[in-house]
Amino acid sequence: MKMDTKQIINQEKKYIVHTYARPDIVIDHGKGCYVFDKAGKKYIDLVGGIATCPLGHGNKQFAESINKQIAKITNPTNLYYTEEQVILAEKLAKLSGLDKCFFSNSGTESVEAAIKLTRKHAKKYEIIATKNSFHGRTFGSLAATGKEKIKQQFKPMLEGFRHIEYGNVKALEKAITNKTAAFIVEPIQGEAGIIMPSQDYLKQVREICNKHEILLIIDEVQTGYGRTGKFFAYQHSKIKPDIVTLAKGLANGIPIGVTITNNNVANSFKPGDHGSTFGGNPVSCKAANFTIEHIISKKLMQKASMMGDYLIKKISSLNISSIKEVRGKGLMIAIEFNKQVKNILKKCLDNGLIVNSTSEKVIRLLPPLTINKKIIDDSIKILEKALK
Ligand SMILES: Cc1ncc(COP(=O)(O)O)c(C=O)c1O
């Protein structure tokens, strides 16, 4: 049965649990930085599947590559060795400067694995996290998350998490006790509205973690795979974490999660300690291998830096008094307003531009890394129109 827009929206109301407040559009297909709705209307997509599509939508070569893998085999499971998994693990180990990977299917699972690994390795269970952080919606990562509003109704939380001010190294030093096992932190807080710490924050954090012999877990779920101009955002600070979590855009929209760590920590996990039926399946790994090769060969990290600077410059040059601040790194950008943005989102959408908000006054942009100046210029025209 073919359905039109109205029928699909009605069916959603009837059959889907309402955890999302969706605008009234039904996305049908995509091409590069554009998506098209069921009625054929074209939109510039500056949300990029919430940062999950670094190569853009509808990439034919990508589709061919994973289609071949689907025809070969989809999921022999982790009971056996598979080639794409070890190819991907070697790539990620070399890119991160770490040693070993645990594969799962999402960001929240990559954080769950990091928490379990930390508890087993350190033989302690206290983890320090930051206020307003976001690490996922399952119970371990939700406990690590620093947004009280999304936790309130699901208490009691997993024990052992304490939250300190983001960007404050003195608060970290003060919070560490002999029960502390690790500090978990995002290099840039994404869901909080692209909050950037000072340049030397992670370097100082690394020194404090070394001094107190606690693990440093860096959550790169949103900042990773080249979006900020380096493959991992912590690489701007020239440090090495003990554990890294990665997901979102790593496989260009195909579900994947990875927890990467050093040999010392990795060796704490023994067969049976953790697992995932779908984690590391050859389809997701093939998709991630293709995505990484493309990000490197097409110089998408360098492009993310250049296009990010261009986008920030263009927005900053708009003469709009309601814009309070434009901030970001690479293609992870926030526009903060001194008024609510709900109507702006709606006007952008009506005029063919998809943007999203992290809070009442912040619009966040996470476009595909393949975006170019022409698409940015077109977006700015629509944004300007919506704001005026
Ligand atoms: C930093 C960070 N960690 C973890 C997550 C959770 O990822 P997922 O939605 O894939 O579970 C997110 C999602 O936005 C995130 O931004």
Side-chain angles (χ1 to χ4, degrees), residues 106-108 134-136 186 191 219 221-222 248:
S106 62
T108 198
F134 186 77
H135 299 290
E186 296 160 85
E191 296 302 299
D219 185 342
V221 167
Q222 196 161 143
K248 282 204 186 282

Side-chain angles (χ1 to χ4, degrees), residues 58-334:
N59 184 311
K60 289 252 156 48
Q61 275 177 290
F62 175 70
E64 271 165 29
S65 158
I66 50 176
N67 281 346
K68 264 192 209 150
Q69 182 58 55
I70 290 170
K72 230 169 128 187
I73 192 160
T74 47
N75 190 25
T77 80
N78 286 304
L79 294 179
Y80 311 100
Y81 299 102
T82 51
E83 191 175 0
E84 288 301 326
Q85 191 180 101
V86 295
I87 293 173
L88 178 58
E90 182 183 3
K91 278 196 176 81
L92 291 173
K94 289 189 171 153
L95 282 163
S96 64
L98 294 166
D99 302 312
K100 287 196 166 78
C101 297
F102 173 84
F103 289 108
S104 55
N105 314 286
S106 62
T108 198
E109 286 171 79
S110 70
V111 175
E112 295 292 335
I115 295 168
K116 280 181 78 175
L117 202 44
T118 297
R119 282 192 173 192
K120 180 120 196 268
H121 179 76
K123 299 185 181 67
K124 301 175 195 177
Y125 68 90
E126 199 176 272
I127 296 179
I128 300 170
T130 60
K131 289 183 182 161
N132 285 322
S133 60
F134 186 77
H135 299 290
R137 302 247 183 199
T138 53
F139 268 108
S141 56
L142 188 62
T145 290
K147 288 170 179 278
E148 200 44 39
K149 204 174 146 200
I150 63 168
K151 304 187 346 173
Q152 247 163 24
Q153 295 177 65
F154 302 100
K155 288 188 174 173
M157 287 286 124
L158 183 73
E159 263 182 72
F161 289 87
R162 282 191 296 141
H163 295 86
I164 59 165
E165 192 188 6
Y166 184 65
N168 184 338
V169 281
K170 283 201 182 115
L172 174 62
E173 184 104 52
K174 210 168 142 204
I176 296 170
T177 69
N178 56 12
K179 290 189 187 140
T180 309
F183 177 52
I184 181 167
V185 68
E186 296 160 85
I188 295 171
Q189 284 188 329
E191 296 302 299
I194 318 295
I195 306 300
M196 322 248 299
S198 69
Q199 260 190 356
D200 55 356
Y201 179 57
L202 285 186
K203 202 162 176 289
Q204 290 178 330
V205 161
R206 177 70 274 183
E207 281 162 16
I208 293 170
C209 291
N210 285 350
K211 183 171 137 197
H212 295 274
E213 296 182 352
I214 66 165
L215 299 178
L216 173 58
I217 308 167
I218 303 262
D219 185 342
E220 292 267 3
V221 167
Q222 196 161 143
T223 47
Y225 58 89
R227 180 157 293 281
T228 70
K230 297 220 183 261
F231 198 85
F232 295 98
Y234 67 77
Q235 290 168 332
H236 291 286
S237 307
K238 299 190 170 52
I239 60 142
K240 209 194 271 191
D242 300 295
I243 303 177
V244 176
T245 58
L246 191 61
K248 282 204 186 282
L250 181 63
N252 202 40
I254 302 293
I256 193 163
V258 196
T259 311
I260 319 169
T261 188
N262 58 44
N263 277 327
N264 186 26
V265 176
N267 290 341
S268 298
F269 263 179
K270 302 288 179 239
D273 279 343
H274 200 43
S276 167
T277 300
F278 284 115
N281 72 77
V283 179
S284 299
C285 290
K286 182 89 192 175
N289 282 324
F290 183 97
T291 306
I292 294 173
E293 277 160 27
H294 234 69
I295 287 173
I296 293 170
S297 68
K298 304 274 177 197
K299 298 195 169 29
L300 293 186
M301 291 184 251
Q302 294 89 324
K303 281 194 183 148
S305 262
M306 276 157 47
M307 289 304 118
D309 288 349
Y310 184 71
L311 188 47
I312 290 179
K313 201 177 92 194
K314 282 290 210 177
I315 304 166
S316 306
S317 67
L318 290 176
N319 191 14
I320 308 282
S321 60
S322 58
I323 296 182
K324 197 174 150 200
E325 190 186 24
V326 188
R327 55 177 180 263
K329 198 166 186 67
L331 288 169
M332 192 172 177
I333 295 168

